[in-house]
Amino acid sequence: MAKNRRIPKRRSVVMTNTMRVGAVLGMLFVMSIINLLASSSCQQLLKAIGEDERELARLEDARQREASRWEEMKTPDKIERALLRHGLSMRAARADQEVHMKANGEPYPGQISVAKARQRQMNVASVGAGGGARMSTKRSAVRR
């Protein structure tokens, strides 16, 4: 078995140094290619981010314009004009007609309009129980 083993040949110093220089140059080439690819992808990302930022700024401006239009349209005069334009003769509710509600659908306590509505319901119930026969059928149909 000892005969079959190869004896490593010594390489010349020039060949060894040439291989080292070639390996270093190959690594530099590979690293420069990787650097170019990374730089290119970074430039593409920067370009896409810039486009997205411009789109975001444009949409934010549009949102602000729309919000100001809505705020302008919510003035009482503009609402009345819009209602008249659509053929509706309505007016905004007076303060004593507004009822503020909780999330569960119940009115907040202590509101004057709630007390008036309950009083009206009691009056209608008492009229319906005792004096409902006095009203004409045409009039009672309108009240329901």
Side-chain angles (χ1 to χ4, degrees), residues 76-95:
D77 293 337
K78 298 275 182 155
I79 291 173
E80 284 183 22
R81 277 192 234 143
L83 289 172
L84 289 174
R85 187 173 49 238
H86 293 289
L88 302 171
S89 59
M90 296 172 63
R91 297 207 183 273
R94 295 186 313 267

Side-chain angles (χ1 to χ4, degrees), residues 108-124:
Y108 284 108
Q111 298 183 64
I112 296 172
S113 54
V114 174
K116 285 183 179 180
R118 286 189 180 142
Q119 185 179 10
R120 268 189 244 119
Q121 284 179 349
M122 289 175 52
N123 289 342
V124 169

Side-chain angles (χ1 to χ4, degrees), residues 47-61:
K47 185 178 178 182
I49 289 171
E51 289 172 0
D52 289 345
E53 286 177 348
R54 283 190 293 276
E55 179 72 11
L56 178 65
R58 184 187 66 77
L59 290 173
E60 182 63 25
D61 289 343

